[in-house]
Amino acid sequence: MTETVRLSLADARTLSLQALARAGLSPEHCEALADLVMAGQIDECHSHGLYRVLSCVDAIRKGKVDTKAVPEILDSAPGIVRIDAKFGFSPLAFRLGLPLLQEKARTQGVAALAINNCFHFSALWPEVERLAAAGLAGLAMTPSHSWVAPAGGTKPVFGTNPIAFSWPRPGPFPFVFDFATSASARGEIELHRRAGKPIPEGWAIDAEGASTTDAEAAMAGAMLTFGGHKGSALSAMVELMAGPLIGDLTSRESQVFDAGAGVTPCHGELLLAFDPNLLSGGRAIESAERAEALFDAIIGQGARLPSQRRYAARERSLANGSVEIPKALHDDLVALLG
Ligand code: NDP
Ligand code: PYC
């Protein structure tokens, strides 16, 4: 069994902040990153919780990230916000661009936020949840590094390319899904490797194209898309929409930019925000009721909504005032302070 350490929420946040600050990250970036990894840990999304501090510090130490980057907002069209993250991490750019995205979505009905030149390591649900909290539906996507083979192929082309969607609901818990278009996130394979555990069949093939359950061999080979050709097509869409469409890198190009450093990917992210009232011709109340009927039809037969596990974890973590992480991760984080 994995040995674990329980940390109060305050101690976990302080540990993240101190590790990032010690690596030289500016206070604004430290705050934005710590909030995000804490959100992941509180929701028990272990692959994008405190574990991510390790890869962020690694990217900083390898001199890739501009630790003091000040994102520049470009208000380029009535429905478009563009942000140049200036080769810093993405969360601060998102934080700065969010108010203008929301304002434009409310006046235009639909608005897009394109974040360019950002090092990206995070889950997307915290971002689309912010849109839902403002009464907007949200869609977000981003490429990564070319780790994933297209359906029918054996060589990596795509990133793990997550897509996240949110729909506002009464109360604090919107309808949200957020998943990699690969069978698993890369971070999940890394966690299996750290824990010395095999990965499930169907996640990856080795360098010779044979199915593997060995995490190391999977990382040296290729990950697989979810749902065969369907996940493959969605992954290609993410490459195009959050790559060339917004003038930024595909996962293959991000890998070239990385130049063998092996740090978290650098590319763009696309977020879309939709105002349910404007798009329904002022019938937001009726639309919300019909959406609730849809959710009832799902839950009513015993199926669960995406994010239900996450929200239950959030309630548990907040009630306990603490989070639990593997001792090995805690040791690695503490070592970053030395
Ligand atoms: P998961 O497969 O763990 O979960 C995918 C989604 O499906 C979640 O919303 C989850 O909700 C939901 N879900 C899971 N099981 C069920 C079920 N039985 N019924 C209904 N819904 C269900 O996600 P991934 O491993 O694909 O991705 C994990 C994270 O990694 C994501 O947050 C993603 O953004 C991030 N990521 C980031 C990348 C980047 O480049 N920045 C790249 C790839 C991934 P719940 O959480 O409640 O279980
Ligand atoms: O888990 O696939 C992943 C991932 C890539 C970049 C950030 N997370």
Side-chain angles (χ1 to χ4, degrees):
M1 224 176 77
T2 310
E3 201 183 341
T4 59
V5 172
R6 186 162 280 283
L7 297 172
S8 73
L9 299 180
D11 286 350
R13 191 168 193 281
T14 302
L15 180 57
S16 310
L17 276 174
Q18 287 180 342
L20 294 165
R22 178 89 191 190
L25 198 60
S26 75
E28 295 78 11
H29 278 290
C30 284
E31 290 286 333
L33 264 62
D35 285 351
L36 213 48
V37 297
M38 280 304 292
Q41 202 60 52
I42 286 169
D43 282 17
E44 295 178 8
C45 292
H46 297 287
S47 63
H48 290 78
L50 260 61
Y51 168 64
R52 286 287 152 183
V53 172
L54 301 183
S55 52
C56 290
V57 169
D58 178 58
I60 295 168
R61 285 184 173 168
K62 287 178 175 156
K64 286 286 194 179
V65 179
D66 183 343
T67 53
K68 313 276 186 263
V70 178
E72 184 185 358
I73 302 181
L74 308 158
D75 185 351
S76 60
I80 300 174
V81 187
R82 298 182 69 228
I83 299 202
D84 183 352
K86 306 259 181 80
F87 299 96
F89 289 112
S90 67
L92 183 61
F94 171 77
R95 186 172 276 197
L96 295 176
L98 179 66
L100 190 53
L101 173 67
Q102 290 174 345
E103 186 188 313
K104 283 176 183 277
R106 285 205 196 91
T107 51
Q108 301 284 128
V110 181
L113 169 62
I115 304 177
N116 291 120
N117 307 322
C118 62
F119 283 86
H120 207 292
F121 68 89
S122 67
L124 300 184
W125 56 260
E127 299 181 351
V128 294
E129 268 194 39
R130 294 290 298 275
L131 293 172
L136 303 166
L139 189 60
M141 60 195 79
T142 187
S144 55
H145 277 330
S146 48
W147 291 314
V148 182
T154 55
K155 300 283 174 253
V157 172
F158 302 135
T160 42
N161 298 5
I163 301 175
F165 171 77
S166 63
W167 177 273
R169 299 186 69 190
F173 300 122
F175 175 87
V176 172
F177 71 73
D178 176 16
F179 53 74
T181 47
S182 41
S184 78
R186 182 85 166 177
E188 277 299 328
I189 299 187
E190 290 169 14
L191 292 186
H192 278 75
R193 182 180 59 176
R194 280 174 69 87
K197 291 182 182 160
I199 58 169
E201 285 278 356
W203 279 16
I205 50 179
D206 64 20
E208 281 70 51
S211 178
T212 184
T213 58
D214 181 84
E216 199 75 56
M219 295 182 73
M223 297 170 69
L224 298 173
T225 58
F226 85 90
H229 62 282
K230 299 180 185 181
S232 197
L234 284 174
S235 199
M237 179 196 78
V238 174
E239 294 287 341
L240 296 170
M241 296 279 286
L245 182 73
I246 62 167
D248 218 309
L249 303 184
T250 62
S251 298
R252 295 171 73 217
E253 292 163 343
S254 167
Q255 194 93 62
V256 172
F257 179 81
D258 182 69
V263 306
T264 199
C266 181
H267 44 67
E269 178 181 346
L270 175 66
L271 288 114
L272 301 171
F274 308 87
D275 183 298
N277 200 41
L278 282 180
L279 282 162
S280 67
R283 290 180 295 166
I285 294 175
E286 184 197 323
S287 297
E289 286 169 359
R290 291 177 43 231
E292 289 307 309
L294 177 74
F295 301 139
D296 287 346
I298 298 171
I299 305 165
Q301 56 179 294
R304 79 157 165 99
L305 296 180
S307 295
Q308 239 171 277
R309 175 205 62 83
R310 225 165 31 75
Y311 294 150
R314 185 180 304 177
E315 288 188 311
R316 204 166 42 242
S317 299
L318 295 178
N320 291 338
S322 62
V323 290
E324 200 170 51
I325 61 172
K327 182 177 177 304
L329 171 59
H330 185 250
D331 290 348
D332 286 349
L333 290 168
V334 170
L336 295 180
L337 309 181

